[in-house]
mmCIF file of all heavy atoms in Angstrom:
data_model
loop_
_atom_site.group_PDB
_atom_site.id
_atom_site.type_symbol
_atom_site.label_atom_id
_atom_site.label_comp_id
_atom_site.label_asym_id
_atom_site.label_seq_id
_atom_site.Cartn_x
_atom_site.Cartn_y
_atom_site.Cartn_z
ATOM 1 N N VAL A 120 138.088 128.919 65.334
ATOM 2 C CA VAL A 120 139.132 128.116 65.969
ATOM 3 C C VAL A 120 138.511 126.885 66.629
ATOM 4 O O VAL A 120 139.072 125.785 66.547
ATOM 5 C CB VAL A 120 139.916 128.949 67.010
ATOM 6 C CG1 VAL A 120 140.930 128.097 67.746
ATOM 7 C CG2 VAL A 120 140.598 130.127 66.336
ATOM 8 N N SER A 121 137.363 127.056 67.249
ATOM 9 C CA SER A 121 136.728 125.912 67.914
ATOM 10 C C SER A 121 136.328 124.847 66.895
ATOM 11 O O SER A 121 136.404 123.650 67.187
ATOM 12 C CB SER A 121 135.529 126.341 68.758
ATOM 13 O OG SER A 121 134.533 126.929 67.956
ATOM 14 N N TYR A 122 135.938 125.251 65.689
ATOM 15 C CA TYR A 122 135.590 124.282 64.650
ATOM 16 C C TYR A 122 136.834 123.530 64.178
ATOM 17 O O TYR A 122 136.800 122.314 63.987
ATOM 18 C CB TYR A 122 134.885 124.978 63.480
ATOM 19 C CG TYR A 122 134.276 124.031 62.477
ATOM 20 C CD1 TYR A 122 133.389 123.044 62.866
ATOM 21 C CD2 TYR A 122 134.578 124.134 61.133
ATOM 22 C CE1 TYR A 122 132.829 122.176 61.940
ATOM 23 C CE2 TYR A 122 134.017 123.282 60.194
ATOM 24 C CZ TYR A 122 133.148 122.307 60.603
ATOM 25 O OH TYR A 122 132.590 121.442 59.696
ATOM 26 N N VAL A 123 137.957 124.233 64.014
ATOM 27 C CA VAL A 123 139.217 123.567 63.667
ATOM 28 C C VAL A 123 139.553 122.532 64.737
ATOM 29 O O VAL A 123 139.913 121.393 64.436
ATOM 30 C CB VAL A 123 140.385 124.574 63.509
ATOM 31 C CG1 VAL A 123 141.719 123.850 63.382
ATOM 32 C CG2 VAL A 123 140.159 125.479 62.314
ATOM 33 N N SER A 124 139.417 122.913 65.989
ATOM 34 C CA SER A 124 139.705 122.005 67.094
ATOM 35 C C SER A 124 138.811 120.764 67.036
ATOM 36 O O SER A 124 139.288 119.639 67.191
ATOM 37 C CB SER A 124 139.521 122.728 68.427
ATOM 38 O OG SER A 124 139.734 121.852 69.500
ATOM 39 N N MET A 125 137.525 120.971 66.794
ATOM 40 C CA MET A 125 136.602 119.830 66.704
ATOM 41 C C MET A 125 136.942 118.933 65.513
ATOM 42 O O MET A 125 136.867 117.705 65.618
ATOM 43 C CB MET A 125 135.153 120.309 66.612
ATOM 44 C CG MET A 125 134.623 120.877 67.911
ATOM 45 S SD MET A 125 132.873 121.298 67.852
ATOM 46 C CE MET A 125 132.933 122.840 66.954
ATOM 47 N N LEU A 126 137.342 119.539 64.404
ATOM 48 C CA LEU A 126 137.731 118.747 63.234
ATOM 49 C C LEU A 126 138.969 117.911 63.549
ATOM 50 O O LEU A 126 139.035 116.727 63.194
ATOM 51 C CB LEU A 126 138.000 119.656 62.031
ATOM 52 C CG LEU A 126 136.792 120.334 61.409
ATOM 53 C CD1 LEU A 126 137.237 121.352 60.363
ATOM 54 C CD2 LEU A 126 135.839 119.322 60.805
ATOM 55 N N GLU A 127 139.947 118.510 64.206
ATOM 56 C CA GLU A 127 141.181 117.795 64.525
ATOM 57 C C GLU A 127 140.970 116.689 65.563
ATOM 58 O O GLU A 127 141.774 115.772 65.656
ATOM 59 C CB GLU A 127 142.252 118.769 65.020
ATOM 60 C CG GLU A 127 142.818 119.628 63.917
ATOM 61 C CD GLU A 127 144.011 120.454 64.368
ATOM 62 O OE1 GLU A 127 144.359 120.451 65.574
ATOM 63 O OE2 GLU A 127 144.610 121.121 63.496
ATOM 64 N N ARG A 128 139.925 116.787 66.325
ATOM 65 C CA ARG A 128 139.609 115.741 67.304
ATOM 66 C C ARG A 128 138.625 114.725 66.736
ATOM 67 O O ARG A 128 138.245 113.781 67.427
ATOM 68 C CB ARG A 128 139.050 116.355 68.584
ATOM 69 C CG ARG A 128 140.141 117.055 69.402
ATOM 70 C CD ARG A 128 139.599 117.653 70.678
ATOM 71 N NE ARG A 128 138.999 118.953 70.361
ATOM 72 C CZ ARG A 128 137.855 119.401 70.877
ATOM 73 N NH1 ARG A 128 137.173 118.686 71.738
ATOM 74 N NH2 ARG A 128 137.390 120.576 70.530
ATOM 75 N N GLY A 129 138.213 114.915 65.492
ATOM 76 C CA GLY A 129 137.284 113.984 64.863
ATOM 77 C C GLY A 129 135.874 114.088 65.404
ATOM 78 O O GLY A 129 135.096 113.137 65.314
ATOM 79 N N GLN A 130 135.527 115.242 65.932
ATOM 80 C CA GLN A 130 134.195 115.432 66.515
ATOM 81 C C GLN A 130 133.191 116.005 65.535
ATOM 82 O O GLN A 130 132.003 116.044 65.831
ATOM 83 C CB GLN A 130 134.282 116.331 67.745
ATOM 84 C CG GLN A 130 135.045 115.699 68.877
ATOM 85 C CD GLN A 130 135.107 116.594 70.099
ATOM 86 O OE1 GLN A 130 135.091 117.816 69.984
ATOM 87 N NE2 GLN A 130 135.180 115.983 71.258
ATOM 88 N N ARG A 131 133.663 116.470 64.392
ATOM 89 C CA ARG A 131 132.779 117.018 63.358
ATOM 90 C C ARG A 131 133.207 116.485 62.002
ATOM 91 O O ARG A 131 134.391 116.291 61.742
ATOM 92 C CB ARG A 131 132.828 118.547 63.317
ATOM 93 C CG ARG A 131 132.216 119.227 64.505
ATOM 94 C CD ARG A 131 130.692 119.103 64.500
ATOM 95 N NE ARG A 131 130.070 119.802 65.593
ATOM 96 C CZ ARG A 131 129.795 119.255 66.769
ATOM 97 N NH1 ARG A 131 130.110 118.005 67.014
ATOM 98 N NH2 ARG A 131 129.205 119.964 67.706
ATOM 99 N N SER A 132 132.250 116.302 61.140
ATOM 100 C CA SER A 132 132.499 115.869 59.774
ATOM 101 C C SER A 132 132.290 117.091 58.866
ATOM 102 O O SER A 132 131.169 117.590 58.751
ATOM 103 C CB SER A 132 131.526 114.749 59.412
ATOM 104 O OG SER A 132 131.755 114.314 58.113
ATOM 105 N N PRO A 133 133.348 117.568 58.220
ATOM 106 C CA PRO A 133 133.235 118.805 57.451
ATOM 107 C C PRO A 133 132.577 118.584 56.091
ATOM 108 O O PRO A 133 132.685 117.503 55.502
ATOM 109 C CB PRO A 133 134.694 119.222 57.258
ATOM 110 C CG PRO A 133 135.423 117.924 57.216
ATOM 111 C CD PRO A 133 134.711 117.040 58.212
ATOM 112 N N PRO A 134 131.922 119.624 55.566
ATOM 113 C CA PRO A 134 131.411 119.539 54.197
ATOM 114 C C PRO A 134 132.576 119.566 53.199
ATOM 115 O O PRO A 134 133.695 119.990 53.545
ATOM 116 C CB PRO A 134 130.540 120.790 54.061
ATOM 117 C CG PRO A 134 131.006 121.721 55.115
ATOM 118 C CD PRO A 134 131.589 120.878 56.221
ATOM 119 N N LEU A 135 132.325 119.133 51.990
ATOM 120 C CA LEU A 135 133.366 119.091 50.966
ATOM 121 C C LEU A 135 134.015 120.448 50.731
ATOM 122 O O LEU A 135 135.226 120.532 50.499
ATOM 123 C CB LEU A 135 132.799 118.555 49.653
ATOM 124 C CG LEU A 135 132.415 117.077 49.652
ATOM 125 C CD1 LEU A 135 131.723 116.714 48.348
ATOM 126 C CD2 LEU A 135 133.628 116.202 49.884
ATOM 127 N N GLU A 136 133.233 121.494 50.807
ATOM 128 C CA GLU A 136 133.772 122.839 50.588
ATOM 129 C C GLU A 136 134.836 123.184 51.629
ATOM 130 O O GLU A 136 135.857 123.802 51.309
ATOM 131 C CB GLU A 136 132.663 123.898 50.630
ATOM 132 C CG GLU A 136 131.668 123.788 49.502
ATOM 133 C CD GLU A 136 130.574 122.741 49.745
ATOM 134 O OE1 GLU A 136 130.449 122.208 50.870
ATOM 135 O OE2 GLU A 136 129.848 122.441 48.791
ATOM 136 N N THR A 137 134.608 122.775 52.865
ATOM 137 C CA THR A 137 135.580 123.043 53.926
ATOM 138 C C THR A 137 136.828 122.203 53.721
ATOM 139 O O THR A 137 137.951 122.692 53.918
ATOM 140 C CB THR A 137 134.956 122.768 55.313
ATOM 141 O OG1 THR A 137 133.825 123.621 55.479
ATOM 142 C CG2 THR A 137 135.954 123.031 56.434
ATOM 143 N N ILE A 138 136.674 120.956 53.308
ATOM 144 C CA ILE A 138 137.834 120.105 53.015
ATOM 145 C C ILE A 138 138.678 120.754 51.922
ATOM 146 O O ILE A 138 139.901 120.837 52.024
ATOM 147 C CB ILE A 138 137.389 118.690 52.608
ATOM 148 C CG1 ILE A 138 136.742 117.977 53.793
ATOM 149 C CG2 ILE A 138 138.584 117.884 52.077
ATOM 150 C CD1 ILE A 138 136.091 116.653 53.453
ATOM 151 N N GLU A 139 138.019 121.238 50.898
ATOM 152 C CA GLU A 139 138.712 121.885 49.785
ATOM 153 C C GLU A 139 139.461 123.136 50.250
ATOM 154 O O GLU A 139 140.624 123.349 49.895
ATOM 155 C CB GLU A 139 137.687 122.244 48.711
ATOM 156 C CG GLU A 139 138.268 122.614 47.374
ATOM 157 C CD GLU A 139 137.181 122.724 46.324
ATOM 158 O OE1 GLU A 139 136.241 123.514 46.516
ATOM 159 O OE2 GLU A 139 137.301 122.022 45.322
ATOM 160 N N LYS A 140 138.825 123.962 51.062
ATOM 161 C CA LYS A 140 139.459 125.185 51.576
ATOM 162 C C LYS A 140 140.635 124.857 52.492
ATOM 163 O O LYS A 140 141.670 125.531 52.453
ATOM 164 C CB LYS A 140 138.446 126.047 52.321
ATOM 165 C CG LYS A 140 137.446 126.726 51.422
ATOM 166 C CD LYS A 140 136.431 127.503 52.245
ATOM 167 C CE LYS A 140 135.354 128.110 51.386
ATOM 168 N NZ LYS A 140 134.349 128.830 52.191
ATOM 169 N N MET A 141 140.480 123.818 53.317
ATOM 170 C CA MET A 141 141.570 123.432 54.219
ATOM 171 C C MET A 141 142.761 122.926 53.419
ATOM 172 O O MET A 141 143.911 123.256 53.731
ATOM 173 C CB MET A 141 141.101 122.370 55.221
ATOM 174 C CG MET A 141 140.106 122.926 56.217
ATOM 175 S SD MET A 141 139.747 121.771 57.518
ATOM 176 C CE MET A 141 140.914 122.327 58.726
ATOM 177 N N ALA A 142 142.494 122.131 52.399
ATOM 178 C CA ALA A 142 143.573 121.617 51.558
ATOM 179 C C ALA A 142 144.331 122.767 50.899
ATOM 180 O O ALA A 142 145.568 122.776 50.881
ATOM 181 C CB ALA A 142 143.009 120.665 50.510
ATOM 182 N N LYS A 143 143.599 123.733 50.380
ATOM 183 C CA LYS A 143 144.236 124.882 49.741
ATOM 184 C C LYS A 143 145.086 125.660 50.743
ATOM 185 O O LYS A 143 146.221 126.035 50.445
ATOM 186 C CB LYS A 143 143.174 125.794 49.122
ATOM 187 C CG LYS A 143 143.746 126.931 48.328
ATOM 188 C CD LYS A 143 142.666 127.717 47.620
ATOM 189 C CE LYS A 143 143.295 128.845 46.811
ATOM 190 N NZ LYS A 143 142.309 129.614 46.076
ATOM 191 N N ALA A 144 144.551 125.883 51.930
ATOM 192 C CA ALA A 144 145.288 126.614 52.972
ATOM 193 C C ALA A 144 146.552 125.871 53.391
ATOM 194 O O ALA A 144 147.569 126.487 53.720
ATOM 195 C CB ALA A 144 144.387 126.843 54.185
ATOM 196 N N LEU A 145 146.498 124.543 53.364
ATOM 197 C CA LEU A 145 147.642 123.719 53.763
ATOM 198 C C LEU A 145 148.568 123.402 52.596
ATOM 199 O O LEU A 145 149.621 122.788 52.777
ATOM 200 C CB LEU A 145 147.151 122.431 54.427
ATOM 201 C CG LEU A 145 146.441 122.625 55.773
ATOM 202 C CD1 LEU A 145 145.714 121.356 56.183
ATOM 203 C CD2 LEU A 145 147.438 123.057 56.852
ATOM 204 N N GLY A 146 148.163 123.770 51.377
ATOM 205 C CA GLY A 146 149.008 123.557 50.203
ATOM 206 C C GLY A 146 149.105 122.117 49.751
ATOM 207 O O GLY A 146 150.165 121.691 49.279
ATOM 208 N N VAL A 147 148.013 121.375 49.922
ATOM 209 C CA VAL A 147 148.002 119.958 49.528
ATOM 210 C C VAL A 147 146.738 119.657 48.726
ATOM 211 O O VAL A 147 145.758 120.396 48.814
ATOM 212 C CB VAL A 147 148.068 119.028 50.767
ATOM 213 C CG1 VAL A 147 149.361 119.235 51.538
ATOM 214 C CG2 VAL A 147 146.860 119.229 51.668
#
């Protein structure tokens, strides 16, 4: 949850794999 929070605040740059997983979870 803390990583999601940091991503949403622009405090961390996610790897491509995480971007892909987030997109799938969000259906986009």
Side-chain angles (χ1 to χ4, degrees):
V120 176
S121 62
Y122 190 54
V123 170
S124 177
M125 288 185 282
L126 290 172
E127 287 188 355
R128 287 181 278 139
Q130 294 181 330
R131 291 288 183 269
S132 180
L135 291 174
E136 294 82 10
T137 300
I138 293 172
E139 194 171 57
K140 288 177 184 178
M141 291 188 94
K143 186 174 181 178
L145 293 167
V147 298

